[in-house]
Amino acid sequence: MTTSAPVVVPLPPAGVDPAWLPSEAFRALGSRRILVCGTGALVDTVHGEVAWACGAFGGSVVRAEEPGDDRPYDLLLHLDEHLDAPEPLGDEGFTLVRRRGRTAVAAAGQRGLLYGLFHVVRLGEAAFGGARAREAHRPALASRMLDHWDNVAVHPVMGQVERGYAGGSLFWRDGRARGDLERVRTYGRLLAACGINAIAVNNVNVHATEAHLLTDRIGEVAEIAGALRPYGIRTHLSVTFAAPLVLGGPATADPLDEAVRAWWAEVTGRVYAAIPDFGGYVVKADSEGQPGPFAYGRSHADGANLLADALAPYGGTVHWRAFVYDHRQDWRDRSTDRACAAYDHFVPLDGRFRDNAVLQVKHGPMDFQVREPVSPVIGALPRTRLAVEVQATQEYTGQQRHVCALAPMWSQVLRWCPEGETGTSVGGLARGGLVAVSNAGDDPYWTGHPLAQANLYTVGRLGWQPDADPFALLDEWIDLTFTPARTEAPERLVAGLRAVLYRSWSTYEKYTAPLGVGFMVQPGHHYGPSVDGYEYSPWGTYHFADRDGVGVDRTSATGTGYAGQYARPWAAVYESPDTCPDELLLFFHHVPYGQVLHSGRTVIQHIYDTHFEGVAEVEEARQVWASLVDLVEPARHARVAERYEEQLRGAREWRDHINSYFFRKSGVPDAHGRRIH
């Protein structure tokens, strides 16, 4: 039997548990006798976590190379290279069983043992009571990744973090690496606890300073990777397609040029010399002004394969974003439809991407709106590895000043079946994994709004299990985050948190853009209402409201043809306003204000009613949160209460802008006689 010094586990600031994994969440684990068996860096992390917990709560831990039944223990955490199960568990899977008063977690790989430990923490006392038949756990998606839109140098418009609503970057400040690696390591710990296993540490819009992270500043990336590595997280880097030109390489970035291919191979070799477990590259090309293969008459497959070939000898992956569209559209031209662009660009390339190239597709065809149909691209490239991209940072869903728990929306996306109810779901088709734009920053509560942490937690858990009940995942976050208070008045606290989280997405949708039409936001910063803000712009984000009706005709018969990009039965469902779901009606159809929805209300009355309802629901949620003041740590409660004041102000602003706009357009009064300006 041997013991080893524990890994130092980062703790929350004194007196504050700012996120999930507060110290109290480890009480059930830390009060037991625990045996940790196995060797390796991540086993060291597991042992460090357990040793800290036992030191805090009176338990004991022994480290050994092999388990033994003669040793007294309540929990065994051990590696088993010969672990058998009905199906292979891989490096990240684990089993859990409880018999004869002992709980055992076994894993074939070190990552699996780490995830098994955090599963025990989630279970709490339930992990140590009664008997449990052998359970096998493995992630459905091999890659669960966060993209940080963090700039190294402060951007004159977007700042340190593009679409960042939680303070500054965790990694960069004023052109340099922050050097606060303990904070980064704590972040890695939080992410491992919810199943995230990969991070891209810089913005997909790669500017001149950020380009140098690939070469002369790779050491800074290596330090970040070193801080994340103890929690099984692989580091990725966003790179510019024009890197050879920007960084003094060949005088071209043509992906078929042999000098360019040699340059990328050499540079990538140096990256792996600095970061042996480097994950790969993320690329935004030929999109919103970013350079790409179109400049050389080449395809996106040519561009992606260039980088995939450079990464292949090291096991790396290139994530090539499918967010490609005409952002200089003529608003007068109704035949051009931004929604069609990704399908038109990428479906003809199916089967032409390398095996280690992942096409990263936004979950909807537009841009992370509160309501969009699922992108038809996801079901249309069976020979291409696809990753589904969602946005945890709340660019169009309240910017972490409004409560909007997005797990229910993401769940709907991941459960949707492109070929009908009996087909394979989006979660099953996402062979390249789930990617989320991170909502974390250097704010003390990590996400600006403390309740926005739920989005960061649940996106990782949905990557592990895309068909999980999203409300059960919200409950997990509540249990882990508010554990100390739950010991005092658990039923009232949980009921209150469920009340403010469970329907928050629906509430936000009610008081913003109606029936799937999208946008209607202030240009540039995208916060607050502006119904015509983008209506006459080149961005392709239109609603086409006039005196007679509203919505975009995307039918095959009379419109842009977008509805025809879907397979049956969805193409037929979306083609007709009689079968199109109410919540997407204005996305697919231009209809009269008097059009009767399946709900029985007219379009115009739906607009009025939902906007009044949304404000009322925010007022109710604010009161519920106020009632929890005795159960929530004071600083956290005050932060959320302050955000609720802004949410209520914003919801009223949205209500009055939208209702007044459509009253003035349609001339139809509210059936209930409420005040519309």
Side-chain angles (χ1 to χ4, degrees), residues 239 241 253-256 260-261 264 281 283 285-286 291-294 296-311 318-320 346 349 352-354 357:
V239 297
F241 183 80
D254 184 346
L256 300 189
V260 172
R261 297 177 67 82
W264 275 107
Y281 300 135
V283 183
D286 288 314
F294 286 175
Y296 304 95
R298 312 303 188 190
S299 72
H300 283 284
D302 294 330
N305 291 341
L306 162 71
L307 300 181
D309 290 344
L311 291 161
V318 57
H319 284 72
W320 191 270
F346 288 98
L349 300 177
R352 292 177 52 186
F353 292 89
R354 300 284 193 265

Side-chain angles (χ1 to χ4, degrees), residues 247-510:
L247 298 171
T252 177
D254 184 346
L256 300 189
D257 186 286
E258 288 302 320
V260 172
R261 297 177 67 82
W263 185 88
W264 275 107
E266 179 186 357
V267 167
T268 301
R270 284 191 263 118
V271 169
Y272 277 92
I275 311 171
D277 60 347
F278 181 70
Y281 300 135
V282 179
V283 183
K284 177 180 179 180
D286 288 314
S287 175
E288 298 183 333
Q290 292 296 308
F294 286 175
Y296 304 95
R298 312 303 188 190
S299 72
H300 283 284
D302 294 330
N305 291 341
L306 162 71
L307 300 181
D309 290 344
L311 291 161
Y314 312 98
T317 300
V318 57
H319 284 72
W320 191 270
R321 297 181 81 237
F323 187 51
V324 178
Y325 68 98
D326 179 8
H327 71 290
R328 296 183 177 91
Q329 184 175 330
D330 183 350
W331 59 268
R332 303 165 187 84
D333 176 13
R334 293 205 181 191
S335 66
T336 301
D337 185 1
R338 172 172 167 172
C340 295
Y343 186 101
D344 291 342
H345 280 298
F346 288 98
V347 171
L349 300 177
D350 188 30
R352 292 177 52 186
F353 292 89
R354 300 284 193 265
D355 289 342
N356 65 323
V358 170
L359 189 61
Q360 189 166 307
V361 182
K362 288 191 178 186
H363 72 83
M366 296 298 281
D367 194 11
F368 302 128
Q369 299 302 294
V370 70
R371 177 74 67 173
E372 294 184 54
V374 178
S375 171
V377 175
I378 296 171
L381 286 92
R383 296 179 294 162
T384 302
R385 289 179 65 197
L386 297 183
V388 177
E389 180 180 289
V390 299
Q391 193 181 46
T393 195
Q394 294 172 228
E395 179 179 356
Y396 296 100
T397 52
Q399 299 192 357
Q400 281 132 252
R401 286 180 267 186
H402 298 218
V403 182
C404 189
L406 295 170
M409 178 175 74
W410 296 332
S411 176
Q412 286 187 14
V413 170
L414 293 168
R415 291 169 184 255
W416 188 77
C417 300
E419 295 186 349
E421 295 182 2
T422 60
T424 304
S425 69
V426 168
L429 293 169
R431 294 186 292 116
L434 183 65
V435 180
V437 183
S438 175
N439 64 348
D442 67 359
D443 179 83
Y445 292 100
W446 296 97
T447 56
H449 197 309
L451 299 185
Q453 291 174 16
N455 291 330
L456 191 57
Y457 179 86
T458 55
V459 79
R461 296 288 290 127
L462 283 167
W464 185 280
Q465 185 183 351
D467 63 352
D469 179 348
F471 300 104
L473 298 182
L474 288 172
D475 284 349
E476 283 184 7
W477 178 78
I478 290 170
D479 286 345
L480 285 176
T481 307
F482 293 89
T483 297
R486 285 202 61 189
T487 62
E488 300 172 17
E491 294 180 359
R492 181 160 63 91
L493 178 63
V494 171
L497 289 166
R498 286 174 172 172
V500 300
L501 287 172
Y502 273 21
R503 68 175 183 178
S504 57
W505 170 46
S506 171
T507 295
Y508 188 86
E509 182 178 17
K510 284 182 176 181

